[in-house]
Amino acid sequence: MEDRVLPLGTVVLLKDGDGSRLMIVCRASIVENRKKEVFYDYGAVLIPQGMLSPEAVYFFNKENVKEVLFEGFKNEDENEFAEQYDEMVSQTKIPKGTI
């Protein structure tokens, strides 16, 4: 759905999700998945619960977003980050994870 990386604080629904609303709290996070490191475009927490524990962060990618319910804060720094995001992640040797 969304080609450009979304700002922090954005609330989304996921394709093939259960209808839970998720708020994006991190981007380009590197996590261990099946004993190897991968990165995901987004890490998010449930709305309204928030981060109940560090293990309660849900990781997904731009292509998994079905709908943007609320778009987070944007300023010049955010716009610059969003413009450079795809180039930054294309330079990593860490593969992108899938859900």
Side-chain angles (χ1 to χ4, degrees):
M1 170 183 179
E2 190 67 38
D3 187 46
R4 193 169 179 176
V5 70
L6 293 165
L8 297 175
T10 296
V11 178
V12 301
L13 294 175
L14 298 182
K15 296 175 186 172
D16 300 322
D18 65 2
S20 295
R21 295 177 306 267
L22 296 167
M23 183 176 68
I24 296 170
V25 296
C26 55
R27 297 178 288 191
S29 294
I30 299 170
V31 298
E32 188 173 306
N33 185 4
R34 297 186 189 124
K35 306 237 185 224
K36 83 175 197 182
E37 287 187 331
V38 296
F39 82 91
Y40 292 93
D41 291 322
Y42 305 116
V45 296
L46 289 170
I47 297 291
Q49 295 91 336
M51 184 181 280
L52 299 172
S53 72
E55 296 80 26
V57 176
Y58 297 85
F59 295 98
F60 57 96
N61 295 308
K62 294 188 276 187
E63 59 269 18
N64 303 120
V65 175
K66 174 182 177 181
E67 182 179 353
V68 174
L69 301 174
F70 174 83
E71 193 165 350
F73 178 74
K74 284 197 219 176
N75 64 7
E76 290 177 18
D77 294 333
E78 174 58 34
N79 290 332
E80 185 176 330
F81 178 86
E83 286 174 17
Q84 297 175 4
Y85 179 81
D86 288 329
E87 178 65 27
M88 287 187 293
V89 297
S90 73
Q91 294 177 15
T92 183
K93 293 180 181 181
I94 297 171
K96 189 173 191 176
T98 59
I99 64 166

